[in-house]
Protein backbone atom coordinates (compact mmCIF):
# COMPACT_ATOMS: atom_id res chain seq x y z
CA UNK A 1 0.00 0.00 0.00
CA UNK A 2 1.46 3.45 -1.08
CA UNK A 3 2.38 6.02 1.67
CA UNK A 4 -0.73 8.13 2.32
CA UNK A 5 0.17 11.79 1.72
CA UNK A 6 -0.54 14.03 4.66
CA UNK A 7 -1.83 17.26 3.21
CA UNK A 8 -4.02 17.78 0.15
CA UNK A 9 -5.11 21.19 -1.10
CA UNK A 10 -8.17 21.23 -3.37
CA UNK A 11 -9.28 24.11 -5.63
CA UNK A 12 -12.67 23.95 -7.32
CA UNK A 13 -13.41 26.00 -10.42
CA UNK A 14 -16.73 26.44 -12.20
CA UNK A 15 -20.22 25.35 -11.17
CA UNK A 16 -21.91 23.81 -8.15
CA UNK A 17 -21.86 20.40 -9.87
CA UNK A 18 -18.07 20.56 -9.87
CA UNK A 19 -18.20 21.60 -6.22
CA UNK A 20 -20.12 18.45 -5.31
CA UNK A 21 -17.53 16.34 -7.16
CA UNK A 22 -14.78 18.01 -5.11
CA UNK A 23 -16.75 17.48 -1.89
CA UNK A 24 -17.15 13.76 -2.66
CA UNK A 25 -13.43 13.40 -3.47
CA UNK A 26 -12.44 15.35 -0.33
CA UNK A 27 -14.84 13.28 1.79
CA UNK A 28 -13.11 10.12 0.67
CA UNK A 29 -9.61 11.50 1.13
CA UNK A 30 -10.54 12.75 4.59
CA UNK A 31 -11.99 9.31 5.41
CA UNK A 32 -8.63 7.86 4.36
CA UNK A 33 -6.88 10.06 6.91
CA UNK A 34 -5.68 12.90 4.64
CA UNK A 35 -5.60 16.48 5.89
CA UNK A 36 -7.74 18.17 3.26
CA UNK A 37 -7.92 21.93 2.70
CA UNK A 38 -10.36 23.50 0.25
CA UNK A 39 -10.00 26.72 -1.65
CA UNK A 40 -7.92 28.50 0.99
CA UNK A 41 -4.70 30.31 0.11
CA UNK A 42 -2.05 27.91 -1.09
CA UNK A 43 0.11 26.73 1.78
CA UNK A 44 2.36 23.69 2.06
CA UNK A 45 0.70 20.62 0.59
CA UNK A 46 1.91 17.21 -0.52
CA UNK A 47 -0.65 17.32 -3.32
CA UNK A 48 -2.56 20.20 -4.90
CA UNK A 49 -5.65 19.19 -6.88
CA UNK A 50 -7.49 21.58 -9.24
CA UNK A 51 -10.98 20.51 -10.26
CA UNK A 52 -11.40 22.46 -13.48
CA UNK A 53 -14.15 23.99 -15.62
CA UNK A 54 -13.93 24.01 -19.42
CA UNK A 55 -17.34 25.37 -20.34
CA UNK A 56 -16.62 28.59 -22.21
CA UNK A 57 -13.58 30.56 -23.44
CA UNK A 58 -13.47 32.86 -20.41
CA UNK A 59 -13.47 29.97 -17.95
CA UNK A 60 -10.78 28.15 -19.94
CA UNK A 61 -8.49 31.20 -19.68
CA UNK A 62 -9.22 31.55 -15.95
CA UNK A 63 -8.53 27.84 -15.34
CA UNK A 64 -5.22 27.87 -17.19
CA UNK A 65 -4.19 30.90 -15.14
CA UNK A 66 -5.09 28.99 -11.94
CA UNK A 67 -3.12 25.91 -13.04
CA UNK A 68 -0.06 28.09 -13.77
CA UNK A 69 -0.37 29.70 -10.34
CA UNK A 70 -0.29 26.30 -8.65
CA UNK A 71 2.56 24.92 -10.76
CA UNK A 72 4.39 28.10 -9.78
CA UNK A 73 3.86 27.11 -6.13
CA UNK A 74 5.36 23.72 -6.99
CA UNK A 75 8.44 25.41 -8.48
CA UNK A 76 8.83 27.12 -5.08
CA UNK A 77 8.47 23.86 -3.14
CA UNK A 78 5.13 24.87 -1.59
CA UNK A 79 3.39 21.88 -3.15
CA UNK A 80 5.06 18.60 -4.09
CA UNK A 81 2.61 17.24 -6.63
CA UNK A 82 0.02 18.90 -8.88
CA UNK A 83 -3.04 17.05 -10.14
CA UNK A 84 -5.54 18.60 -12.57
CA UNK A 85 -8.95 16.99 -13.05
CA UNK A 86 -12.40 17.76 -14.49
CA UNK A 87 -14.02 19.36 -17.51
CA UNK A 88 -11.03 21.24 -18.93
CA UNK A 89 -9.03 17.98 -18.98
CA UNK A 90 -11.95 16.10 -20.53
CA UNK A 91 -11.85 18.59 -23.42
CA UNK A 92 -8.14 19.23 -23.91
CA UNK A 93 -6.13 16.44 -22.19
CA UNK A 94 -3.50 15.83 -24.87
CA UNK A 95 -2.92 19.56 -25.40
CA UNK A 96 -2.62 20.23 -21.66
CA UNK A 97 -0.15 17.36 -21.18
CA UNK A 98 2.01 18.83 -23.96
CA UNK A 99 1.77 22.46 -22.88
CA UNK A 100 1.93 22.15 -19.06
CA UNK A 101 4.41 19.33 -18.26
CA UNK A 102 4.77 20.75 -14.71
CA UNK A 103 1.47 19.06 -13.87
CA UNK A 104 2.08 15.54 -12.54
CA UNK A 105 -1.17 13.98 -13.74
CA UNK A 106 -4.32 14.96 -15.65
CA UNK A 107 -7.66 13.21 -15.01
CA UNK A 108 -10.96 13.57 -16.86
CA UNK A 109 -14.42 13.89 -15.30
CA UNK A 110 -15.14 10.26 -14.34
CA UNK A 111 -11.78 9.23 -12.85
CA UNK A 112 -12.32 9.70 -9.11
CA UNK A 113 -11.56 6.04 -8.34
CA UNK A 114 -8.28 6.27 -10.28
CA UNK A 115 -7.29 9.50 -8.48
CA UNK A 116 -7.93 7.89 -5.08
CA UNK A 117 -5.99 4.78 -6.11
CA UNK A 118 -3.03 6.82 -7.41
CA UNK A 119 -2.96 8.76 -4.16
CA UNK A 120 -2.71 5.54 -2.16
CA UNK A 121 -6.26 4.85 -1.05
CA UNK A 122 -9.25 3.06 -2.53
CA UNK A 123 -12.82 3.98 -3.51
CA UNK A 124 -14.94 2.54 -0.68
CA UNK A 125 -18.54 1.86 -1.75
CA UNK A 126 -19.78 2.15 1.84
CA UNK A 127 -18.91 5.86 1.80
CA UNK A 128 -21.46 6.48 -1.00
CA UNK A 129 -23.18 9.84 -0.47
CA UNK A 130 -20.65 11.05 2.09
CA UNK A 131 -18.98 14.38 1.38
CA UNK A 132 -16.78 17.02 2.94
CA UNK A 133 -19.14 19.98 2.75
CA UNK A 134 -17.71 23.30 1.61
CA UNK A 135 -20.93 25.30 1.81
CA UNK A 136 -22.09 26.84 5.12
CA UNK A 137 -23.36 23.85 7.16
CA UNK A 138 -27.07 24.69 6.81
CA UNK A 139 -27.33 24.29 3.02
CA UNK A 140 -25.87 21.88 0.48
CA UNK A 141 -26.12 21.07 -3.20
CA UNK A 142 -27.63 17.71 -4.12
CA UNK A 143 -26.38 16.65 -7.55
CA UNK A 144 -29.19 14.41 -8.83
CA UNK A 145 -27.65 13.59 -12.21
CA UNK A 146 -24.68 14.36 -14.42
CA UNK A 147 -24.39 14.81 -18.18
CA UNK A 148 -27.09 16.01 -20.60
CA UNK A 149 -29.32 14.43 -23.27
CA UNK A 150 -30.04 17.72 -25.03
CA UNK A 151 -27.92 19.22 -27.81
CA UNK A 152 -28.27 22.97 -27.60
CA UNK A 153 -26.23 24.36 -30.46
CA UNK A 154 -24.07 26.69 -28.31
CA UNK A 155 -23.25 24.22 -25.55
CA UNK A 156 -20.27 21.89 -25.20
CA UNK A 157 -21.40 20.19 -21.97
CA UNK A 158 -22.84 17.00 -23.53
CA UNK A 159 -19.41 16.56 -25.22
CA UNK A 160 -17.64 16.92 -21.87
CA UNK A 161 -20.04 15.23 -19.48
CA UNK A 162 -21.79 12.72 -21.77
CA UNK A 163 -25.46 11.75 -21.63
CA UNK A 164 -27.71 12.23 -18.62
CA UNK A 165 -26.86 9.80 -15.79
CA UNK A 166 -29.24 9.94 -12.81
CA UNK A 167 -28.59 8.78 -9.25
CA UNK A 168 -31.39 6.56 -7.92
CA UNK A 169 -34.09 8.02 -5.68
CA UNK A 170 -32.92 5.65 -2.93
CA UNK A 171 -29.30 6.87 -3.21
CA UNK A 172 -30.43 10.53 -3.13
CA UNK A 173 -32.67 9.93 -0.12
CA UNK A 174 -29.71 8.35 1.71
CA UNK A 175 -27.41 11.20 0.66
CA UNK A 176 -29.96 13.75 1.89
CA UNK A 177 -30.36 11.94 5.23
CA UNK A 178 -26.56 12.05 5.55
CA UNK A 179 -26.60 15.80 4.82
CA UNK A 180 -29.34 16.37 7.40
CA UNK A 181 -27.19 14.51 9.99
CA UNK A 182 -24.44 17.06 9.13
CA UNK A 183 -26.84 19.88 10.01
CA UNK A 184 -28.11 20.71 6.50
CA UNK A 185 -31.64 22.18 6.40
CA UNK A 186 -31.79 23.44 2.79
CA UNK A 187 -30.98 21.15 -0.13
CA UNK A 188 -30.50 22.59 -3.59
CA UNK A 189 -31.18 20.16 -6.44
CA UNK A 190 -28.72 20.52 -9.31
CA UNK A 191 -27.82 18.77 -12.58
CA UNK A 192 -27.13 19.94 -16.11
CA UNK A 193 -30.87 19.52 -16.68
CA UNK A 194 -32.91 18.49 -13.60
CA UNK A 195 -36.07 17.94 -15.68
CA UNK A 196 -34.56 14.87 -17.39
CA UNK A 197 -33.98 13.28 -14.00
CA UNK A 198 -34.67 9.54 -13.98
CA UNK A 199 -35.23 8.97 -17.71
CA UNK A 200 -32.19 6.67 -17.84
CA UNK A 201 -33.12 4.76 -14.65
CA UNK A 202 -36.94 4.71 -14.65
CA UNK A 203 -37.70 5.21 -18.34
CA UNK A 204 -39.60 8.42 -17.57
CA UNK A 205 -38.94 11.93 -16.24
CA UNK A 206 -39.12 11.45 -12.47
CA UNK A 207 -38.24 14.79 -10.89
CA UNK A 208 -41.73 15.06 -9.34
CA UNK A 209 -41.35 11.60 -7.76
CA UNK A 210 -37.91 12.51 -6.42
CA UNK A 211 -39.27 15.71 -4.86
CA UNK A 212 -42.05 13.74 -3.14
CA UNK A 213 -39.48 11.33 -1.68
CA UNK A 214 -37.15 14.11 -0.48
CA UNK A 215 -39.82 16.18 1.20
CA UNK A 216 -40.67 13.21 3.46
CA UNK A 217 -37.23 13.43 5.08
CA UNK A 218 -37.30 14.83 8.64
CA UNK A 219 -34.95 17.73 9.16
CA UNK A 220 -35.20 19.05 5.59
CA UNK A 221 -36.82 22.51 5.75
CA UNK A 222 -36.25 23.81 2.25
CA UNK A 223 -35.89 22.03 -1.09
CA UNK A 224 -34.76 24.30 -3.92
CA UNK A 225 -34.89 23.50 -7.62
CA UNK A 226 -32.22 24.73 -10.02
CA UNK A 227 -31.31 24.07 -13.68
CA UNK A 228 -34.74 23.10 -14.95
CA UNK A 229 -35.52 23.07 -18.67
CA UNK A 230 -38.76 24.26 -20.35
CA UNK A 231 -40.31 20.82 -20.57
CA UNK A 232 -43.87 19.49 -20.13
CA UNK A 233 -42.76 17.37 -17.19
CA UNK A 234 -42.55 20.63 -15.22
CA UNK A 235 -46.34 20.59 -14.93
CA UNK A 236 -45.98 17.54 -12.65
CA UNK A 237 -43.35 19.43 -10.67
CA UNK A 238 -45.73 22.38 -10.39
CA UNK A 239 -48.37 20.11 -8.77
CA UNK A 240 -45.87 18.82 -6.20
CA UNK A 241 -44.43 22.28 -5.51
CA UNK A 242 -47.92 23.78 -5.08
CA UNK A 243 -48.88 21.25 -2.39
CA UNK A 244 -45.55 21.15 -0.56
CA UNK A 245 -44.53 22.96 2.63
CA UNK A 246 -40.85 22.34 1.94
CA UNK A 247 -40.28 22.97 -1.77
CA UNK A 248 -39.33 26.62 -2.17
CA UNK A 249 -41.56 28.73 -4.41
CA UNK A 250 -38.58 29.19 -6.63
CA UNK A 251 -37.85 28.05 -10.17
CA UNK A 252 -34.49 28.40 -11.92
CA UNK A 253 -35.22 27.88 -15.63
CA UNK A 254 -32.54 29.03 -18.13
CA UNK A 255 -34.52 30.02 -21.27
CA UNK A 256 -31.68 31.42 -23.40
CA UNK A 257 -34.03 33.23 -25.83
CA UNK A 258 -37.70 33.62 -26.81
CA UNK A 259 -37.78 34.21 -30.55
CA UNK A 260 -38.88 31.03 -32.35
CA UNK A 261 -36.31 31.28 -35.15
CA UNK A 262 -33.45 31.81 -32.68
CA UNK A 263 -34.76 29.00 -30.43
CA UNK A 264 -34.85 26.70 -33.44
CA UNK A 265 -31.29 27.61 -34.45
CA UNK A 266 -30.25 27.01 -30.83
CA UNK A 267 -31.81 23.53 -31.09
CA UNK A 268 -33.74 24.14 -27.89
CA UNK A 269 -36.60 21.88 -29.00
CA UNK A 270 -39.40 24.15 -27.83
CA UNK A 271 -41.21 27.32 -28.86
CA UNK A 272 -42.17 30.69 -27.42
CA UNK A 273 -45.68 29.32 -26.79
CA UNK A 274 -44.42 26.34 -24.76
CA UNK A 275 -42.30 28.68 -22.63
CA UNK A 276 -45.08 31.23 -22.15
CA UNK A 277 -47.67 28.60 -21.22
CA UNK A 278 -45.29 27.09 -18.64
CA UNK A 279 -44.45 30.45 -17.07
CA UNK A 280 -48.13 31.46 -17.03
CA UNK A 281 -49.05 28.22 -15.25
CA UNK A 282 -46.38 28.63 -12.58
CA UNK A 283 -47.35 32.28 -12.06
CA UNK A 284 -51.09 31.50 -11.88
CA UNK A 285 -50.80 28.42 -9.68
CA UNK A 286 -48.08 29.81 -7.34
CA UNK A 287 -48.53 33.62 -7.44
CA UNK A 288 -45.60 34.34 -5.07
CA UNK A 289 -43.11 32.21 -7.02
CA UNK A 290 -39.68 33.68 -7.81
CA UNK A 291 -38.44 32.77 -11.28
CA UNK A 292 -34.78 32.98 -12.24
CA UNK A 293 -33.67 32.73 -15.84
CA UNK A 294 -30.58 33.07 -18.01
CA UNK A 295 -30.53 34.49 -21.55
CA UNK A 296 -28.06 34.68 -24.43
CA UNK A 297 -28.06 37.75 -26.64
CA UNK A 298 -26.06 38.38 -29.80
CA UNK A 299 -26.63 34.83 -31.09
CA UNK A 300 -26.13 34.54 -34.90
CA UNK A 301 -29.30 35.72 -36.60
CA UNK A 302 -30.56 37.79 -33.65
CA UNK A 303 -31.46 40.94 -35.59
CA UNK A 304 -32.85 44.11 -34.01
CA UNK A 305 -36.41 42.75 -34.28
CA UNK A 306 -35.52 39.53 -32.45
CA UNK A 307 -33.69 41.54 -29.81
CA UNK A 308 -36.71 43.83 -29.35
CA UNK A 309 -38.87 40.72 -28.97
CA UNK A 310 -36.54 39.46 -26.23
CA UNK A 311 -36.78 42.79 -24.39
CA UNK A 312 -40.57 42.91 -24.55
CA UNK A 313 -40.66 39.31 -23.27
CA UNK A 314 -38.57 40.41 -20.25
CA UNK A 315 -40.88 43.40 -19.68
CA UNK A 316 -43.97 41.17 -19.91
CA UNK A 317 -42.77 38.27 -17.73
CA UNK A 318 -40.79 40.34 -15.21
CA UNK A 319 -38.36 37.72 -13.85
CA UNK A 320 -37.34 38.09 -10.23
CA UNK A 321 -33.81 37.09 -11.13
CA UNK A 322 -32.18 37.29 -14.56
CA UNK A 323 -28.69 36.79 -15.95
CA UNK A 324 -27.67 37.50 -19.56
CA UNK A 325 -24.58 36.57 -21.55
CA UNK A 326 -23.23 37.68 -24.93
CA UNK A 327 -23.04 34.78 -27.36
CA UNK A 328 -19.49 33.48 -27.88
CA UNK A 329 -18.87 30.63 -30.35
CA UNK A 330 -17.52 27.59 -28.46
CA UNK A 331 -15.10 25.36 -30.41
CA UNK A 332 -16.73 22.01 -31.16
CA UNK A 333 -20.34 23.26 -30.95
CA UNK A 334 -22.86 23.50 -33.79
CA UNK A 335 -23.24 27.23 -33.24
CA UNK A 336 -19.51 27.75 -33.79
CA UNK A 337 -20.09 26.79 -37.45
CA UNK A 338 -22.60 29.63 -37.87
CA UNK A 339 -21.61 33.07 -39.15
CA UNK A 340 -21.02 35.01 -35.91
CA UNK A 341 -22.29 38.16 -37.64
CA UNK A 342 -23.07 40.42 -34.70
CA UNK A 343 -20.19 42.79 -33.81
CA UNK A 344 -18.77 42.45 -30.27
CA UNK A 345 -19.76 45.98 -29.22
CA UNK A 346 -23.35 45.40 -30.38
CA UNK A 347 -23.47 42.24 -28.26
CA UNK A 348 -22.09 44.14 -25.27
CA UNK A 349 -24.64 46.93 -25.75
CA UNK A 350 -27.46 44.41 -25.88
CA UNK A 351 -26.24 42.79 -22.64
CA UNK A 352 -26.13 46.20 -20.88
CA UNK A 353 -29.57 47.16 -22.26
CA UNK A 354 -31.07 43.97 -20.83
CA UNK A 355 -29.32 44.40 -17.47
CA UNK A 356 -30.59 48.02 -17.26
CA UNK A 357 -34.11 46.78 -17.97
CA UNK A 358 -33.76 44.01 -15.36
CA UNK A 359 -32.36 46.43 -12.75
CA UNK A 360 -35.52 48.54 -13.00
CA UNK A 361 -37.76 45.47 -12.77
CA UNK A 362 -35.82 44.13 -9.78
CA UNK A 363 -35.97 47.50 -7.98
CA UNK A 364 -39.73 47.85 -8.57
CA UNK A 365 -40.30 44.34 -7.24
CA UNK A 366 -38.07 44.94 -4.22
CA UNK A 367 -39.78 48.24 -3.32
CA UNK A 368 -43.13 46.42 -3.27
CA UNK A 369 -41.72 44.10 -0.59
CA UNK A 370 -41.25 46.87 1.99
CA UNK A 371 -43.55 46.15 4.94
CA UNK A 372 -43.98 42.47 3.98
CA UNK A 373 -43.01 39.70 6.37
CA UNK A 374 -41.08 36.58 5.36
CA UNK A 375 -39.46 33.47 6.83
CA UNK A 376 -35.73 33.68 6.21
CA UNK A 377 -32.62 31.65 6.93
CA UNK A 378 -29.53 33.20 8.50
CA UNK A 379 -26.61 32.65 6.14
CA UNK A 380 -23.72 34.55 7.75
CA UNK A 381 -22.53 37.63 9.56
CA UNK A 382 -20.28 40.31 8.03
CA UNK A 383 -18.99 43.05 10.35
CA UNK A 384 -22.09 43.99 12.37
CA UNK A 385 -24.62 42.86 9.80
CA UNK A 386 -26.44 39.56 9.50
CA UNK A 387 -27.14 38.31 5.96
CA UNK A 388 -30.25 36.26 5.38
CA UNK A 389 -32.22 34.77 2.49
CA UNK A 390 -35.88 34.02 1.90
CA UNK A 391 -37.24 30.98 0.07
CA UNK A 392 -37.19 33.16 -3.08
CA UNK A 393 -33.38 33.37 -3.17
CA UNK A 394 -30.62 30.91 -3.97
CA UNK A 395 -27.34 31.34 -2.12
CA UNK A 396 -24.45 33.13 -3.81
CA UNK A 397 -26.49 34.34 -6.84
CA UNK A 398 -29.75 35.96 -5.66
CA UNK A 399 -31.08 38.71 -3.39
CA UNK A 400 -29.80 38.91 0.17
CA UNK A 401 -31.55 40.50 3.15
CA UNK A 402 -29.41 42.63 5.47
CA UNK A 403 -30.28 42.90 9.15
CA UNK A 404 -28.33 45.27 11.38
CA UNK A 405 -26.59 43.63 14.28
CA UNK A 406 -29.07 41.57 16.28
CA UNK A 407 -28.03 39.57 19.34
CA UNK A 408 -28.84 35.87 19.52
CA UNK A 409 -28.90 35.02 15.82
CA UNK A 410 -27.01 31.97 14.59
CA UNK A 411 -26.11 30.70 11.10
CA UNK A 412 -28.71 28.30 9.75
CA UNK A 413 -31.46 29.67 12.03
CA UNK A 414 -34.92 30.27 10.53
CA UNK A 415 -36.49 33.56 11.62
CA UNK A 416 -39.43 35.80 10.77
CA UNK A 417 -38.54 39.25 9.47
CA UNK A 418 -40.17 42.37 8.01
CA UNK A 419 -38.67 44.25 5.06
CA UNK A 420 -37.89 47.85 5.98
CA UNK A 421 -35.97 49.06 2.91
CA UNK A 422 -34.88 47.96 -0.56
CA UNK A 423 -32.42 48.76 -3.31
CA UNK A 424 -31.94 47.45 -6.86
CA UNK A 425 -31.04 43.90 -5.92
CA UNK A 426 -30.98 43.57 -2.12
CA UNK A 427 -33.33 44.08 0.81
CA UNK A 428 -33.04 45.34 4.40
CA UNK A 429 -35.11 44.08 7.28
CA UNK A 430 -35.70 43.63 10.98
CA UNK A 431 -36.27 40.39 12.87
CA UNK A 432 -39.84 40.02 14.18
CA UNK A 433 -39.66 36.51 15.65
CA UNK A 434 -38.77 32.81 15.36
S1 LIG B 1 -29.65 21.72 -21.54
FE1 LIG B 1 -28.02 22.96 -20.69
S2 LIG B 1 -26.28 21.55 -20.41
FE2 LIG B 1 -27.76 20.57 -21.81
S3 LIG B 1 -27.04 21.08 -23.85
FE3 LIG B 1 -28.57 22.61 -23.27
S4 LIG B 1 -27.43 24.31 -22.35
FE4 LIG B 1 -26.07 22.52 -22.42
Amino acid sequence: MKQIPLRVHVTTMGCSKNLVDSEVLMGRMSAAGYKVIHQDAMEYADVAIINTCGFIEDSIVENIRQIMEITHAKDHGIVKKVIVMGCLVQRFKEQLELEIPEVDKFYGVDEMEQILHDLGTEYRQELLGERMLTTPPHYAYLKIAEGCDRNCSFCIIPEIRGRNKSKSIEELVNETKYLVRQGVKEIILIAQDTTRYGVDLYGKKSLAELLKALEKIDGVRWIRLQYTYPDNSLYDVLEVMKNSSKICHYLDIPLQHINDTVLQSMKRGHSKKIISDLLDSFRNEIPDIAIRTTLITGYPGEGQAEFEELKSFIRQYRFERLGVFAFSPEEGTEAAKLNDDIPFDVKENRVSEIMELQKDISREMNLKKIGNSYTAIVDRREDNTWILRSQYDSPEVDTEIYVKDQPGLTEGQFVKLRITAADDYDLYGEITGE
Side-chain angles (χ1 to χ4, degrees), residues 148 150-152 154-155 157-158 192-193 229 256 268:
C148 187
R150 318 238 182 220
N151 53 13
C152 304
F154 51 82
C155 182
I157 291 175
Q192 303 300 348
D193 169 9
Y229 192 92
Q256 313 303 358
R268 294 286 287 172

